[in-house]
Amino acid sequence: MANLQVYYDKVQLHLNVPEGQSVRDALDATELRVRAACGGTGSCGACLVCLLGGDVNPPTLAEHQKLTADERARGMRLACQLRLRGDAEVRLDDPAPPSLWRSLPVEDLWPAPAGRPELDRHIYGVAVDLGTTHIRVAFWDRKHGHRLATRRGPNPQGAFGADVLNRLDAALASPERAAELAKLARTAIVQAVRDILKRDVGQVGPMLAEIGRVVVVGNTAMLSLLTGTGAEALLEPENWERAVDYRPRDPAAWQAQWFMPNAEVFLLGAVAGFVGSDLLADLVATGLSRGPPGSLLLDVGTNTEIALWDGQALHITSVPGGPAFEGVGIH
Ligand code: FES
């Protein structure tokens, strides 16, 4: 690992960066992102930083094309082309506007799954993990099986309660409140997709039309709040061992709210009351039930899902893993 010091105005960041990682990638996981509109290919020229010193790669062909000789002499570099070989210091004069979205470090990501759909059109897809506290979004080229970019940001529904039950209670208080909760989550996901398209692809409107599928997983309560359906059933303990139906009442009208004209927005079905489809995604990703007996999986979050594989069956449950007083103050 190398040390990267970043200066902007009165802010100073100290980052541990894997050698060979670009300065743009390192900063994309922080609140101090460089401007960008090309996904790091060196073609937009927006990600300017000033190199103050350190052990880095020499300017690339893209930097010779995008930067004048005078800029290069002043130490200006393109952050997406600038890679650390050892410790280094850079100054950021004109960062991207503040955003709640951060890229996920590549080392935190699972490899692309095997198997790809046969597609000629609308080849892009969006995978969403809608968590109670955080939302994670990945943008995929489904035809070629490439994950193009990822984002992580807060679930803005937190204003209605940090825990699951308070949010369900808020949704039941009035249809307007339920619609507001649904809109907050939906808008956040769309913003994350737009952030990816703007910064990593360089085109927003036409690319939104090229998205063919959005798949959302999450705990049952978050999916209910996203569609505005099922919150009442979820608060009844007799439903906790069954799969609650949270499909939108008017699917066509609901799909139209996503501003992705050719995308089917697909919610993976939950397993039971508070065991959501995020657990299903975990099971597919980890292959737990193909592994040895006695394997345990925990998806630790505000709602923590747990699966135990005994070699023949999966035993599953969930437990609040976040606020200590889940549902405090409600009857
Ligand atoms: S040139 Fe670096 S992000 Fe576009």
Side-chain angles (χ1 to χ4, degrees):
M1 298 290 266
N3 291 320
L4 174 63
Q5 294 273 84
V6 185
Y7 302 94
Y8 165 64
D9 201 13
K10 295 190 179 75
V11 182
Q12 187 177 343
L13 283 186
H14 175 82
L15 305 174
N16 279 323
V17 178
E19 279 175 35
Q21 188 179 55
S22 76
V23 170
R24 174 190 164 166
D25 284 348
L27 287 174
D28 271 4
T30 75
E31 70 277 12
L32 205 54
R33 305 193 299 179
V34 292
R35 290 179 183 271
C38 77
T41 56
S43 58
C44 75
C47 59
L48 286 174
V49 292
C50 181
L51 177 66
L52 302 176
D55 190 4
V56 297
N57 64 322
T60 64
L61 180 61
E63 290 178 286
H64 281 282
Q65 289 171 338
K66 287 288 169 192
L67 302 174
T68 63
D70 178 52
E71 286 173 323
R72 292 199 304 276
R74 287 190 284 117
M76 302 310 287
R77 299 286 307 261
L78 296 179
C80 66
Q81 304 293 300
L82 179 60
R83 293 179 189 279
L84 268 59
R85 293 173 172 170
D87 298 347
E89 294 187 4
V90 299
R91 193 185 69 231
L92 200 50
D93 295 326
D94 187 22
S99 164
L100 296 173
W101 298 103
R102 312 267 179 273
S103 297
L104 288 161
V106 178
E107 59 273 18
D108 286 357
L109 303 176
W110 288 86
R116 308 196 292 263
E118 294 278 327
L119 294 171
D120 293 323
R121 306 170 60 213
H122 311 137
I123 66 168
Y124 297 102
V126 177
V128 181
D129 181 2
L130 178 56
T132 312
T133 310
H134 288 110
I135 301 174
R136 293 172 182 80
V137 175
F139 190 75
W140 286 86
D141 171 343
R142 297 185 293 154
K143 182 173 173 131
H144 302 100
H146 292 150
R147 177 173 22 222
L148 299 173
T150 58
R151 292 292 186 273
R152 171 186 187 270
N155 184 336
Q157 292 173 337
F160 286 88
D163 61 316
V164 169
L165 291 183
N166 266 306
R167 272 187 234 176
L168 290 174
D169 195 52
L172 289 175
S174 73
E176 293 76 26
R177 196 65 72 80
E180 196 179 339
L181 276 155
K183 187 176 177 190
L184 279 172
R186 189 177 64 242
T187 305
I189 295 168
V190 173
Q191 277 175 353
V193 174
R194 294 182 72 91
D195 190 73
I196 288 172
L197 296 180
K198 193 166 162 218
R199 292 178 59 82
D200 293 75
V201 181
Q203 243 189 357
V204 179
M207 286 298 289
L208 285 173
E210 289 304 318
I211 297 171
R213 201 156 219 237
V214 179
V215 179
V216 186
V217 299
N219 71 55
T220 320
M222 289 308 108
L223 298 182
S224 291
L225 294 174
L226 184 64
T227 60
T229 312
E232 198 160 358
L234 259 179
L235 285 175
E236 295 298 332
E238 67 258 29
N239 292 326
W240 290 359
E241 293 190 0
R242 331 183 169 125
V244 169
D245 184 4
Y246 47 66
R247 285 171 297 180
R249 294 223 169 81
D250 181 347
W254 188 74
Q255 298 265 344
Q257 294 172 333
W258 290 77
F259 305 108
M260 300 177 201
N262 298 306
E264 178 202 8
V265 184
F266 180 73
L267 305 183
L268 206 58
V271 183
F274 285 94
V275 182
S277 54
D278 43 356
L279 183 77
L280 289 178
D282 296 334
L283 292 170
V284 172
T286 60
L288 187 82
S289 56
R290 294 192 298 275
S295 301
L296 185 71
L297 182 149
L298 296 100
D299 184 338
V300 180
T302 311
N303 188 63
T304 294
E305 281 94 352
I306 302 170
L308 174 67
W309 170 240
D310 70 5
Q312 300 197 322
L314 276 164
H315 305 269
I316 55 173
T317 189
S318 73
V319 63
F325 298 102
E326 179 78 34
V328 68
I330 67 172
H331 295 278

